[in-house]
Amino acid sequence: MIRRFLYLLTNARPRTNGLERAMTRTTSLFLGLALLAGCGGSETPQQAVDSSVKPSASPAPTPAAEKTASSSPEKKVVTYDQLIQAADALIEKRDAKNAAKILSTAIKAQPTRPEAYIKRAALLAEAKLYKQAVGDMSSAIGVDPENSKYRNTRGYFLLMLQDYDAAERDFNKAIDIDPEYPQAYNNRGLVFIGQNEYIKALNDFRKASELKEDYVDALNNLGFVFLQMEEPDPAKAVETFTKVLEINDGYLNAISNRGRAHLALKNYDSAIKDFTRAIELQPQNQQYRLHRSEAYRAAGQFDLAREDVNQIARERQIAEVNHMIRNNPRRKELWLTRAQLLLQSDRTEEAKTALDNAIKLDGTFIPSLLSRARLHELEQEYDQVIEVCTKILDLEPNTEAQSLRGDAYMLVDKIDEAIADYEAARRFDTKIVEAYRARAEQREEAGETDLAKADHERADSLETRLTAGPPSSAEEAKPREMVVQPVSFEQVAEEEGPETK
């Protein structure tokens, strides 16, 4: 018999810190239909756990019922199955609100069928309305009390509510109904972690991984328990996480967890390698960068540790600026600050968008234009550097724009223009010496001996002064590095503005 199943895939991340039992909950629900043979269903677990937080699991998929034909050729009656199909179409379009309304209509039409309860429970859980989701799963269980998957799913929702006793009862019942059900053992193991009963958790995760050898979620949780036990076994944890990665080499949290185990074993190079890989896979997760900074520091690589800490600080600043932009989207200073922070974090494309937004708001705002010119220079777009700096100089005299344009002119072999800009900017470094030497060579090749001699003398004079030290009457006018300037955020929010990329 071919049946259609609703896959309910969720992630939970309980966290322990000493005696703390608070759960950090990150739930993702993906709804899809699959055709399966037989009366059972296949499970697709979703599990990802860092050792800084407790592991998570997904409930087993919950089966939807077969279609039944109940339409009348004489009357245009919308059947239960048609309502379910319509809800599925809306779920596919991510229209949860209208999907829930249709499912409610289906429930009123046929309250003794479980499919609508299950689908609506998934939508409620996605909205983190776990109590209501528990209610719908209870209704589904009332229809089919011996369905192990329904018990497992309700148990998971109860786990998210930290109702450990009730969750354990559901997982126990699921196991009683189907002793070969690995997801129920895995989820019950999460209950035991929430209660700091690590030996019981260890046994359940082992059982789950025995029943399903490639069950990476249970294996990852098992490795986590090896790290959290009263007498931790980081060597066994490394072995377990490595087995996870042999099955799925991109399993992000197993990579990070193994890094933590290596760190505990003082295998600093291996720990740094794992954390670096985790950062590559999810660069916005600063927890991995924090772990790597710990490993760098333990290995005595203090400069690299400091770089990671500074990057974490920048990411926090970016988050703060993003929040301010949402409240004040027409503040050009905010967009500029965002661009500068993004550039310091090597997020060039996002920085371009932020700068474009700042310039759209005010095309004469010199700091934004200077930052755009620097970005063009970074990407070796020298004609654009010249164009932007020329615009700045048309607006006002600006030493930095003059100097930047001089560098760009040098790189496109417009040496006369470069020297003119360097002199106007009172540039005093090796660049202007190189410019005079280059022009002297050009003039020598053109037979302009006297002019070439004058350029060589000017270069010699500047070089002598550079050797003696900087002049007291003029400051060096080299382009400054991009510096994040403080911005006042006291203006009231406005309604419209450029969008964040």
Side-chain angles (χ1 to χ4, degrees), residues 157-426:
F157 295 152
L158 290 164
L159 176 63
M160 298 303 286
L161 292 168
Q162 300 183 54
D163 189 345
Y164 296 130
D165 292 338
E168 183 181 353
R169 286 195 295 272
D170 266 343
F171 297 136
N172 287 341
K173 181 62 176 177
I175 291 167
D176 287 342
I177 296 168
D178 183 1
E180 303 280 305
Y181 189 12
Q183 279 76 10
Y185 288 102
N186 179 71
N187 288 349
R188 190 173 67 179
L190 297 177
V191 170
F192 293 139
I193 283 181
Q195 297 170 330
N196 292 331
E197 296 185 30
Y198 293 110
I199 299 301
K200 289 183 179 180
L202 191 76
N203 292 332
D204 270 354
F205 295 138
R206 276 180 171 156
K207 180 66 174 178
S209 58
E210 286 169 5
L211 289 170
K212 193 173 188 293
E213 292 184 358
D214 63 348
Y215 194 177
V216 290
D217 303 330
L219 287 168
N220 184 62
N221 293 342
L222 179 61
F224 172 80
V225 171
F226 283 129
L227 288 176
Q228 294 296 116
M229 293 169 61
E230 186 175 344
E231 295 182 7
D233 190 346
K236 194 70 176 175
V238 167
E239 179 185 334
T240 307
F241 294 131
T242 299
K243 185 175 181 180
V244 173
L245 296 171
E246 287 170 355
I247 299 168
N248 179 358
D249 62 0
Y251 197 108
L252 179 60
N253 288 326
I255 296 170
S256 178
N257 283 340
R258 189 175 67 176
R260 296 287 291 175
H262 278 308
L263 187 59
L265 292 168
K266 300 183 179 180
N267 297 333
Y268 301 130
D269 289 344
S270 296
I272 290 166
K273 183 178 179 181
D274 276 342
F275 295 139
T276 299
R277 175 64 176 150
I279 292 167
E280 290 169 355
L281 291 173
Q282 196 176 88
Q284 304 309 316
N285 189 327
Q286 299 311 307
Q287 191 68 29
Y288 304 141
R289 201 175 295 276
L290 181 62
H291 291 335
R292 189 174 68 176
S293 72
E294 293 172 6
Y296 277 138
R297 193 162 48 249
Q301 300 181 51
F302 299 112
D303 289 344
L304 292 174
R306 192 176 302 111
E307 284 181 21
D308 272 345
V309 171
N310 289 341
Q311 180 61 30
I312 292 168
R314 280 194 293 270
E315 292 297 333
R316 287 174 179 166
Q317 286 181 286
I318 290 170
E320 290 173 4
V321 171
N322 288 345
H323 176 72
M324 294 173 184
I325 285 173
R326 284 192 289 272
N327 291 329
N328 297 276
R330 300 195 65 81
R331 290 287 309 283
K332 58 183 181 288
E333 297 91 348
L334 290 175
W335 288 104
L336 175 59
T337 300
R338 172 176 161 79
Q340 292 170 333
L341 289 167
L342 289 168
L343 280 174
Q344 291 176 15
S345 301
D346 295 323
R347 292 162 63 179
T348 306
E349 291 304 315
E350 294 173 82
K352 285 181 184 177
T353 300
L355 278 176
D356 288 344
N357 286 340
I359 292 168
K360 284 177 186 175
L361 289 169
D362 185 351
T364 64
F365 188 45
I366 302 300
S368 295
L369 294 171
L370 280 171
S371 293
R372 200 70 174 93
R374 293 191 206 100
L375 185 52
H376 284 311
E377 183 183 47
L378 183 68
E379 298 196 318
Q380 300 181 9
E381 298 169 347
Y382 302 121
D383 289 338
Q384 287 93 325
V385 174
I386 292 167
E387 178 183 344
V388 174
C389 288
T390 299
K391 181 177 181 178
I392 293 170
L393 294 167
D394 287 342
L395 292 169
E396 67 176 34
N398 188 285
T399 300
E400 187 171 358
Q402 205 98 50
S403 188
L404 278 168
R405 191 174 68 174
D407 286 340
Y409 276 137
M410 274 293 291
L411 290 163
V412 296
D413 293 324
K414 294 185 177 181
I415 300 175
D416 287 341
E417 291 88 340
I419 290 173
D421 274 343
Y422 287 157
E423 291 288 1
R426 304 183 73 182

Side-chain angles (χ1 to χ4, degrees), residues 440-501:
E441 291 174 5
Q442 284 184 349
R443 287 175 167 177
E444 284 172 349
E445 291 175 3
E448 298 172 343
T449 307
D450 291 341
L451 292 174
K453 181 181 178 181
D455 279 344
H456 275 304
E457 288 174 353
R458 175 64 173 154
D460 290 342
S461 172
L462 288 168
E463 201 163 47
T464 300
R465 291 166 58 195
L466 279 170
T467 304
S472 58
S473 59
E475 294 184 356
E476 185 176 341
K478 291 166 62 177
R480 295 173 296 168
E481 292 186 3
M482 196 171 293
V483 177
V484 179
Q485 301 292 340
V487 179
S488 170
F489 303 125
E490 296 179 357
Q491 293 187 15
V492 296
E494 299 185 46
E495 294 182 356
E496 298 179 355
E499 294 185 359
T500 309
K501 183 176 181 180

Side-chain angles (χ1 to χ4, degrees), residues 428-435 466:
F428 185 73
D429 62 5
T430 56
K431 284 284 188 181
I432 191 167
V433 175
E434 291 170 8
L466 279 170

